[in-house]
């Protein structure tokens, strides 16, 4: 899984405007529950834990959503729980609804979230599945740089490997997992 980051001082991406698109933060657990088809109490728990939700509205309809963690997060499929350093944010759980895909909403949502959260964070992290090429492309268009990859070591423990110089150590420090120079396994002991 690539680990990408963007610092607020990094050059902002140049994305042509989408006049029909508006991105707003929401504190409505009911709206997020409806969009995600999850229980309202789960959304209440996320909000209480310091996660902030954003919705991209296209022509007045909810088209996509995403979350920013402000204190800590977990990557369930890898068994990784981490605390965010002060002034870091972790972007996660993005979905563009099927009828709105292919319009360039995702990179604009990610960029809008970084801009909205800039008063509270200097660096933003995002992790995505390597097979999700659309997500990887959108993240790059939003100005993020892949720093490291996250997967498993030979013993089935989460670990990172640098993609660019210094990226592995930064990602390892964030996630509190070891940095390896060897290739990582694609799955926990298969």
């Amino acid at each position: 899984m690539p680990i990408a980051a963007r610092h607020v001082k990094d050059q902002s991406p140049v994305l042509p405007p989408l006049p029909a698109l508006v991105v707003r933060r929401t504190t409505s657990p009911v709206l997020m529950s409806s969009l995600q088809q999850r229980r309202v109490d789960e959304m209440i728990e996320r909000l209480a834990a310091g996660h902030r939700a954003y919705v991209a509205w296209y022509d007045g309809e909810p088209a996509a959503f995403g979350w920013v963690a402000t204190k800590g997060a977990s990557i369930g499929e890898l068994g990784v729980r981490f605390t965010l350093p002060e002034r870091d944010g972790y972007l996660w759980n993005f979905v563009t609804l099927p009828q709105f895909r292919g319009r360039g909403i995702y990179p604009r949502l990610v960029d809008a979230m970084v801009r909205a959260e800039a008063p509270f964070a200097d660096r933003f992290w995002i992790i995505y599945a390597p097979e999700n090429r659309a997500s990887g492309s959108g993240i790059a268009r939003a100005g993020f740089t892949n720093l490291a990859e996250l997967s498993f070591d030979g013993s089935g423990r989460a670990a990172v490997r640098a993609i660019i110089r210094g990226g592995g150590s930064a990602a390892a420090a964030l996630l509190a997992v070891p940095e390896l120079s060897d290739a990582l396994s694609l799955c926990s002991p298969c």
Side-chain angles (χ1 to χ4, degrees):
M1 300 176 111
I3 302 169
R6 175 177 159 189
H7 196 279
V8 295
K9 292 181 182 176
D10 292 345
Q11 183 175 350
S12 295
V14 178
L15 299 169
L18 269 180
L21 186 70
V22 175
V23 175
R24 290 191 297 256
R25 182 175 163 200
T26 183
T27 57
S28 171
V30 174
L31 172 61
M32 293 311 291
S33 170
S34 172
L35 288 173
Q36 295 192 236
Q37 300 177 357
R38 294 179 179 252
R39 296 183 334 267
V40 172
D41 62 321
E42 186 179 339
M43 301 300 106
I44 292 169
E45 289 173 15
R46 285 184 182 187
L47 292 164
H51 301 285
R52 294 197 273 262
Y54 285 82
V55 176
W57 300 83
Y58 191 86
D59 275 339
E61 292 185 58
F65 61 83
W67 291 82
V68 61
T70 61
K71 297 176 184 174
S74 64
I75 305 166
E77 58 269 31
L78 295 178
V80 174
R81 297 182 75 70
F82 58 97
T83 301
L84 286 160
E86 192 172 324
R87 306 235 10 113
D88 277 20
Y90 173 66
L91 305 174
W92 65 290
N93 192 198
F94 285 87
V95 173
T96 301
L97 301 176
Q99 65 271 32
F100 294 100
R101 292 180 183 156
R103 300 180 194 197
I105 293 171
Y106 178 55
R108 287 167 178 81
L109 171 59
V110 172
D111 181 56
M113 290 173 65
V114 167
R115 290 171 189 262
E117 292 289 324
F120 313 107
D122 298 320
R123 181 173 46 184
F124 295 87
W125 299 89
I126 194 166
I127 299 171
Y128 63 97
E131 65 273 10
N132 190 340
R133 291 191 174 125
S135 185
S137 174
I139 290 165
R141 288 183 64 208
F144 281 72
T145 301
N146 288 342
L147 303 180
E149 64 177 332
L150 170 65
S151 196
F152 299 97
D153 66 13
S155 300
R157 296 177 300 239
V160 298
R161 186 173 67 87
I163 292 174
I164 65 171
R165 187 175 178 179
S169 58
L174 171 73
L175 300 174
V177 299
E179 177 186 9
L180 303 177
S181 57
D182 299 333
L184 300 173
S185 299
L186 294 178
C187 61
S188 181
C190 301

mmCIF file of all heavy atoms in Angstrom, residues 1-3 128 146-150 161-168 179:
data_model
loop_
_atom_site.group_PDB
_atom_site.id
_atom_site.type_symbol
_atom_site.label_atom_id
_atom_site.label_comp_id
_atom_site.label_asym_id
_atom_site.label_seq_id
_atom_site.Cartn_x
_atom_site.Cartn_y
_atom_site.Cartn_z
ATOM 1 N N MET A 1 0.844 -1.166 0.000
ATOM 2 C CA MET A 1 0.000 0.000 0.000
ATOM 3 C C MET A 1 0.892 1.233 0.000
ATOM 4 O O MET A 1 1.659 1.424 0.938
ATOM 5 C CB MET A 1 -0.885 0.031 1.252
ATOM 6 C CG MET A 1 -1.805 -1.145 1.420
ATOM 7 S SD MET A 1 -2.708 -1.054 2.983
ATOM 8 C CE MET A 1 -4.313 -0.751 2.344
ATOM 9 N N PRO A 2 0.800 2.061 -1.005
ATOM 10 C CA PRO A 2 1.594 3.289 -1.003
ATOM 11 C C PRO A 2 1.157 4.247 0.109
ATOM 12 O O PRO A 2 -0.032 4.389 0.394
ATOM 13 C CB PRO A 2 1.326 3.887 -2.379
ATOM 14 C CG PRO A 2 0.915 2.718 -3.220
ATOM 15 C CD PRO A 2 0.167 1.824 -2.293
ATOM 16 N N ILE A 3 2.137 4.876 0.725
ATOM 17 C CA ILE A 3 1.915 5.910 1.733
ATOM 18 C C ILE A 3 2.362 7.214 1.086
ATOM 19 O O ILE A 3 3.514 7.354 0.689
ATOM 20 C CB ILE A 3 2.748 5.654 2.998
ATOM 21 C CG1 ILE A 3 2.417 4.291 3.590
ATOM 22 C CG2 ILE A 3 2.531 6.776 4.015
ATOM 23 C CD1 ILE A 3 3.373 3.857 4.688
ATOM 24 N N TYR A 128 -3.280 4.178 0.277
ATOM 25 C CA TYR A 128 -4.273 3.600 -0.622
ATOM 26 C C TYR A 128 -3.821 2.231 -1.126
ATOM 27 O O TYR A 128 -2.631 1.912 -1.117
ATOM 28 C CB TYR A 128 -4.571 4.548 -1.789
ATOM 29 C CG TYR A 128 -3.390 4.835 -2.686
ATOM 30 C CD1 TYR A 128 -3.204 4.126 -3.874
ATOM 31 C CD2 TYR A 128 -2.457 5.813 -2.364
ATOM 32 C CE1 TYR A 128 -2.130 4.386 -4.691
ATOM 33 C CE2 TYR A 128 -1.377 6.079 -3.188
ATOM 34 C CZ TYR A 128 -1.230 5.362 -4.353
ATOM 35 O OH TYR A 128 -0.150 5.618 -5.165
ATOM 36 N N ASN A 146 4.197 9.902 -3.219
ATOM 37 C CA ASN A 146 4.385 8.588 -2.590
ATOM 38 C C ASN A 146 5.756 8.548 -1.925
ATOM 39 O O ASN A 146 6.776 8.801 -2.575
ATOM 40 C CB ASN A 146 4.280 7.470 -3.615
ATOM 41 C CG ASN A 146 2.861 7.247 -4.088
ATOM 42 O OD1 ASN A 146 1.902 7.672 -3.447
ATOM 43 N ND2 ASN A 146 2.716 6.572 -5.208
ATOM 44 N N LEU A 147 5.757 8.243 -0.613
ATOM 45 C CA LEU A 147 6.997 8.207 0.151
ATOM 46 C C LEU A 147 7.482 6.799 0.433
ATOM 47 O O LEU A 147 8.682 6.537 0.463
ATOM 48 C CB LEU A 147 6.813 8.919 1.497
ATOM 49 C CG LEU A 147 6.360 10.373 1.479
ATOM 50 C CD1 LEU A 147 6.239 10.888 2.902
ATOM 51 C CD2 LEU A 147 7.318 11.212 0.668
ATOM 52 N N ALA A 148 6.547 5.897 0.713
ATOM 53 C CA ALA A 148 6.909 4.542 1.144
ATOM 54 C C ALA A 148 5.770 3.599 0.802
ATOM 55 O O ALA A 148 4.683 4.027 0.423
ATOM 56 C CB ALA A 148 7.176 4.533 2.651
ATOM 57 N N GLU A 149 6.060 2.320 0.938
ATOM 58 C CA GLU A 149 4.995 1.328 0.797
ATOM 59 C C GLU A 149 4.833 0.627 2.137
ATOM 60 O O GLU A 149 5.788 0.452 2.896
ATOM 61 C CB GLU A 149 5.287 0.337 -0.321
ATOM 62 C CG GLU A 149 6.503 -0.530 -0.101
ATOM 63 C CD GLU A 149 6.707 -1.551 -1.215
ATOM 64 O OE1 GLU A 149 5.741 -1.964 -1.854
ATOM 65 O OE2 GLU A 149 7.863 -1.932 -1.418
ATOM 66 N N LEU A 150 3.612 0.240 2.424
ATOM 67 C CA LEU A 150 3.253 -0.423 3.676
ATOM 68 C C LEU A 150 2.717 -1.801 3.357
ATOM 69 O O LEU A 150 1.846 -1.952 2.506
ATOM 70 C CB LEU A 150 2.185 0.408 4.399
ATOM 71 C CG LEU A 150 1.502 -0.202 5.614
ATOM 72 C CD1 LEU A 150 2.496 -0.423 6.752
ATOM 73 C CD2 LEU A 150 0.357 0.696 6.075
ATOM 74 N N ARG A 161 8.679 0.212 3.545
ATOM 75 C CA ARG A 161 9.900 0.270 2.747
ATOM 76 C C ARG A 161 9.864 1.577 1.972
ATOM 77 O O ARG A 161 8.841 1.954 1.395
ATOM 78 C CB ARG A 161 9.993 -0.910 1.790
ATOM 79 C CG ARG A 161 11.315 -0.985 1.038
ATOM 80 C CD ARG A 161 11.417 -2.271 0.224
ATOM 81 N NE ARG A 161 10.467 -2.314 -0.865
ATOM 82 C CZ ARG A 161 10.681 -1.798 -2.088
ATOM 83 N NH1 ARG A 161 11.814 -1.194 -2.363
ATOM 84 N NH2 ARG A 161 9.768 -1.897 -3.024
ATOM 85 N N ALA A 162 10.975 2.289 1.957
ATOM 86 C CA ALA A 162 11.042 3.594 1.294
ATOM 87 C C ALA A 162 10.828 3.474 -0.198
ATOM 88 O O ALA A 162 11.308 2.541 -0.835
ATOM 89 C CB ALA A 162 12.388 4.256 1.568
ATOM 90 N N ILE A 163 10.109 4.446 -0.737
ATOM 91 C CA ILE A 163 10.011 4.627 -2.186
ATOM 92 C C ILE A 163 10.959 5.742 -2.597
ATOM 93 O O ILE A 163 11.633 5.652 -3.614
ATOM 94 C CB ILE A 163 8.566 4.962 -2.609
ATOM 95 C CG1 ILE A 163 7.658 3.753 -2.376
ATOM 96 C CG2 ILE A 163 8.511 5.394 -4.080
ATOM 97 C CD1 ILE A 163 6.189 4.023 -2.633
ATOM 98 N N ILE A 164 11.016 6.789 -1.764
ATOM 99 C CA ILE A 164 11.965 7.871 -1.994
ATOM 100 C C ILE A 164 12.833 8.030 -0.746
ATOM 101 O O ILE A 164 12.430 7.611 0.353
ATOM 102 C CB ILE A 164 11.273 9.207 -2.358
ATOM 103 C CG1 ILE A 164 10.441 9.731 -1.184
ATOM 104 C CG2 ILE A 164 10.427 9.063 -3.609
ATOM 105 C CD1 ILE A 164 9.925 11.149 -1.403
ATOM 106 N N ARG A 165 13.969 8.625 -0.921
ATOM 107 C CA ARG A 165 14.905 8.810 0.192
ATOM 108 C C ARG A 165 14.223 9.540 1.348
ATOM 109 O O ARG A 165 13.632 10.594 1.172
ATOM 110 C CB ARG A 165 16.100 9.609 -0.303
ATOM 111 C CG ARG A 165 17.192 9.717 0.696
ATOM 112 C CD ARG A 165 18.369 10.410 0.080
ATOM 113 N NE ARG A 165 19.405 10.549 1.076
ATOM 114 C CZ ARG A 165 20.554 11.082 0.838
ATOM 115 N NH1 ARG A 165 20.850 11.527 -0.362
ATOM 116 N NH2 ARG A 165 21.456 11.181 1.794
ATOM 117 N N GLY A 166 14.318 8.958 2.542
ATOM 118 C CA GLY A 166 13.725 9.534 3.748
ATOM 119 C C GLY A 166 12.258 9.196 3.944
ATOM 120 O O GLY A 166 11.713 9.378 5.019
ATOM 121 N N GLY A 167 11.610 8.706 2.888
ATOM 122 C CA GLY A 167 10.186 8.400 2.985
ATOM 123 C C GLY A 167 9.877 7.246 3.915
ATOM 124 O O GLY A 167 8.883 7.272 4.640
ATOM 125 N N GLY A 168 10.729 6.244 3.904
ATOM 126 C CA GLY A 168 10.507 5.083 4.773
ATOM 127 C C GLY A 168 10.620 5.438 6.237
ATOM 128 O O GLY A 168 9.797 5.013 7.052
ATOM 129 N N GLU A 179 11.042 -0.038 9.513
ATOM 130 C CA GLU A 179 11.380 0.221 8.109
ATOM 131 C C GLU A 179 12.337 -0.864 7.669
ATOM 132 O O GLU A 179 13.309 -1.180 8.356
ATOM 133 C CB GLU A 179 12.047 1.580 7.949
ATOM 134 C CG GLU A 179 12.467 1.845 6.521
ATOM 135 C CD GLU A 179 13.257 3.134 6.336
ATOM 136 O OE1 GLU A 179 13.642 3.771 7.329
ATOM 137 O OE2 GLU A 179 13.515 3.485 5.173
#
